[in-house]
Amino acid sequence: MNVNLHPSTPSSQRGISAIEYLVLAVVVIGAIATAAGLFGSDISAAFTALGDLINPP
């Protein structure tokens, strides 16, 4: 006799997947925020220089 004490239902799998995606989204947002904080002025200067190349003052 085969008894499954912890059946894996589709709804519990969807809940676990949702939590995994939430954790992934938090990590990605944190990485973007950190990069923007560290390199924000450099990125701004690069876009300004690029804009000056495309449309000289």
Side-chain angles (χ1 to χ4, degrees), residues 16 24-25 36-38 48:
I16 292 171
L24 180 62
L38 291 174
T48 301

Side-chain angles (χ1 to χ4, degrees), residues 30-56:
I32 291 171
T34 301
L38 291 174
F39 304 112
S41 60
D42 294 335
I43 293 171
S44 177
F47 276 115
T48 301
L50 181 63
D52 289 343
L53 287 174
I54 294 172
N55 190 13

